[in-house]
């Protein structure tokens, strides 16, 4: 990767919040949190993380790259499943420790490894003092057993 | 708080991903990441964190509560600014370590402490091999100097 980012440490609050320098505040593990949303509908598709390399590759290639915490490696989203994400816009927040990535979801349109469009396919409700989950009914756009064969 | 959550540790992958037990996977600091979106538009307003107490209070009261990592305390959003968030829906993701909180933003409609509707008011673009931020032009709905007096 050739792209580097501004070091946030010497920046003032004002520079961080109102400036034009992109100075992502990676956490102790070297990651920023990323919310991926669908262009047009604004629906939240997934939540993931990027290290500096994934962030640079995403900006340079226009294809979403993340850092997989479970696998401990760079993750080009859709490399196995075909569900690539084409970047429409990349936003950061006031204190530059989070990203909103606006994408067009390619392939069958499923961002979630379960085959659904979004990872957020259940809502929590209260029932007799207990929190339970209710499925929102998002259809499966692929069968994960066909896509992720080990 | 009276509400408790299912312990995710003994659950299988299948139970965690397809079950009806709400078993939030709090991280080592006892937190889950929360994406707060606006009902109707789906716009991402902010990204924050909840501990078990904040999550329970949010479900029980219908008003968004978070854990402030910078202040190290429970944070009833809008307690100082008046910008309360009324919960419309609370969703969790496939592996139950993230929350989407769908809200109606009360007060002046500003979720961000800078006075803007959303914390994500800048986009990153590439210019001559450097990533720079461009303001998206979100208006300030309040002057933070008037709201947060120390």
């Amino acid at each position: 990767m050739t792209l580097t980012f501004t070091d946030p440490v010497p920046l003032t609050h004002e520079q961080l919040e109102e400036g034009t320098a992109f100075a992502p505040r990676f956490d102790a593990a070297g990651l920023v949190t990323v919310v991926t949303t669908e262009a047009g509908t604004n629906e939240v598709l997934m939540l993931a993380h990027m290290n500096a390399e994934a962030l640079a590759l995403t900006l340079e290639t226009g294809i979403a790259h993340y850092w997989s915490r479970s696998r401990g490696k760079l993750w080009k989203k859709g490399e196995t499943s075909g569900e690539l994400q084409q970047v429409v816009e990349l936003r950061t927040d006031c204190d530059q420790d989070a990203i909103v990535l606006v994408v067009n979801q390619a392939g069958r349109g499923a961002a979630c490894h379960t085959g659904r469009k979004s990872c957020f396919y259940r809502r929590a409700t209260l029932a007799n003092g207990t929190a339970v989950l209710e499925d929102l009914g998002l259809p499966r756009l692929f069968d994960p057993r066909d896509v992720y064969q080990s």
Side-chain angles (χ1 to χ4, degrees), chain A residues 66-83:
Chain A
Y66 303 97
W67 176 260
S68 169
R69 295 190 302 176
S70 57
R71 283 174 284 153
K73 60 182 237 184
L74 188 75
W75 168 32
K76 182 179 178 183
K77 166 79 183 162
E79 200 162 30
T80 304
S81 64
E83 305 294 310

Side-chain angles (χ1 to χ4, degrees), chain A residues 43 116-122 135-141:
Chain A
E43 277 180 52
R116 297 171 175 96
K117 176 178 181 177
S118 166
C119 296
F120 295 89
Y121 51 82
R122 292 171 296 180
D135 199 296
L136 294 165
L138 272 64
R140 286 188 203 257
L141 306 174

